[in-house]
Amino acid sequence: MKICCFGANSAIAKHIVYEYADSSPEVILVGRDQQKLDVEAQHLKARYSCKTQVFSCDFTNTEKTIEVCKTLKDIDVFIIAHGYLGSQDEAQNNHSELQKIIDVNYTSYAHLLEEVGRIVDMQQFGKTIVIGSVAGDRGRQSNYIYGSSKGAIELYVQGIQHRFAHNPKIHFLLAKPGFVDTPMTKDFPKGPLWAKPKAVAKLMVQGLNKNKRVVYTPKFWFLIMTLIKWCPFFVFKKTKL
Ligand SMILES: NC(=O)c1ccc[n+]([C@@H]2O[C@H](COP(=O)([O-])OP(=O)(O)OC[C@H]3O[C@@H](n4cnc5c(N)ncnc54)[C@H](OP(=O)(O)O)[C@@H]3O)[C@@H](O)[C@H]2O)c1
């Protein structure tokens, strides 16, 4: 088995890779920080006897990202996991922060999804986990810039699922985590709605194995987001969400 992970230093992505690691797959780690990628590659080799390859690449550099993708072939599982939460408050006042949130969380995903689409089309097989977010389900005052990028990914993934619906060997899963305790959320106070990256990674792989198109991780977020999505605006506008 051959796995290619974009955003391989992400806590959730690492645990997705570990879900497959017992079968000692070949793993291609793609991310921004070469040193951290090398450490992870060493870990996968030493603990799980994986064969590894590392590419360092900032995914907002489209040319470099596409160059890396051109080297990929015979990939069984892709993971697209990088992300940038940024600051909603700052982005409302600073267009470069706004641009960065959209570039990392949407534009780079669109380019990667097209490259992954090209590769699976050529191979005629390949499964992909794309990490979205519950934040993409409804625009909310506290994070609509990040949230709208995640919402846009959902439409993109729907389109690519439609494009490959005729081929049962090609599948795209959109995973929508709720609150997960990772470096991205290290400054947030934690509570009962929070999950660990290992638990959400497991649910994502289970969802992919069952050929689901969307999974909420943990599952209770489906209920929470259904209530939030369908809450009438005259009520919603009174909330601070
Ligand atoms: N944690 C949550 O509560 C939560 C909830 C919903 C969705 N998500 C989504 O889950 C995914 C994984 O995040 P995580 O929670 O595992 O956070 P994380 O551990 O902080 O991982 C985020 C990763 O994204 C990488 N990254 C950011 N900008 C990049 C760029 N321009 N080019 C390449 N890599 C870049 C970071 O690279 P460096 O290591 O170099 O910094 C980091 O490894 C993200 O898509 C996130 O939006 C997370």
Side-chain angles (χ1 to χ4, degrees):
M1 174 182 246
K2 200 164 166 184
I3 299 172
C4 176
C5 182
F6 298 101
N9 286 323
S10 125
I12 297 176
K14 284 183 189 174
H15 282 282
I16 297 175
V17 172
Y18 301 155
E19 286 294 313
Y20 293 100
D22 282 339
S23 60
S24 304
E26 190 174 338
V27 185
I28 301 168
L29 303 167
V30 195
R32 189 163 55 168
D33 184 322
Q34 174 84 45
Q35 246 179 341
K36 284 199 269 177
L37 291 171
D38 288 341
V39 170
E40 190 56 21
Q42 278 309 325
H43 174 66
L44 289 168
K45 270 189 230 169
R47 167 121 194 238
Y48 300 102
S49 308
C50 295
K51 201 171 149 201
T52 58
Q53 206 181 345
V54 163
F55 290 101
S56 84
C57 175
D58 186 312
F59 301 129
T60 57
N61 181 340
T62 306
E63 217 174 299
K64 179 77 198 290
T65 305
I66 294 172
E67 200 181 292
V68 171
C69 291
K70 296 276 185 239
T71 67
L72 304 173
K73 56 176 188 180
D74 301 331
I75 309 291
D76 297 290
V77 176
F78 286 97
I79 300 152
I80 309 180
H82 62 288
Y84 174 63
L85 189 57
S87 158
Q88 171 73 27
D89 285 347
E90 194 189 333
Q92 281 171 213
N93 297 295
N94 173 349
H95 284 271
S96 65
E97 174 73 354
L98 184 148
Q99 188 75 52
K100 185 173 169 186
I101 295 174
I102 294 170
D103 285 349
V104 176
N105 296 304
Y106 179 59
T107 313
S108 73
Y109 269 66
H111 289 292
L112 276 171
L113 279 164
E114 267 334 290
E115 280 303 296
V116 169
R118 179 185 59 74
I119 295 164
V120 295
D121 201 13
M122 197 170 61
Q123 304 177 159
Q124 288 296 300
F125 67 88
K127 294 191 168 198
T128 305
I129 296 175
V130 184
I131 305 192
S133 171
V134 295
D137 278 7
R138 184 165 191 177
R140 289 174 289 118
Q141 62 179 332
S142 61
N143 76 344
Y144 60 82
I145 300 175
Y146 170 83
S148 66
S149 309
K150 291 294 194 182
I153 292 175
E154 174 148 28
L155 291 192
Y156 212 104
V157 171
Q158 282 172 4
I160 216 157
Q161 287 167 339
H162 190 196
R163 175 177 159 195
F164 289 109
H166 62 280
N167 186 337
K169 290 186 179 162
I170 296 178
H171 189 75
F172 287 81
L173 165 75
L174 179 71
K176 296 194 198 182
F179 299 137
V180 190
D181 185 1
T182 69
M184 181 179 273
T185 51
K186 65 180 184 322
D187 298 328
F188 289 57
K190 309 295 184 291
L193 293 180
W194 286 77
K196 293 288 179 197
K198 184 177 176 171
V200 297
K202 200 178 185 67
L203 291 168
M204 290 177 191
V205 173
Q206 281 172 359
L208 191 72
N209 290 340
K210 289 182 185 162
N211 283 346
K212 296 222 166 145
R213 280 180 288 116
V214 178
V215 284
Y216 284 81
T217 60
K219 281 184 192 148
F220 62 75
W221 280 98
F222 172 72
L223 196 63
I224 295 174
M225 293 320 295
T226 302
L227 294 174
I228 290 178
K229 268 199 294 194
W230 297 109
C231 178
F233 190 68
F234 74 88
V235 178
F236 191 65
K237 71 181 182 185
K238 294 179 187 149
T239 71
K240 292 276 175 229
L241 289 169

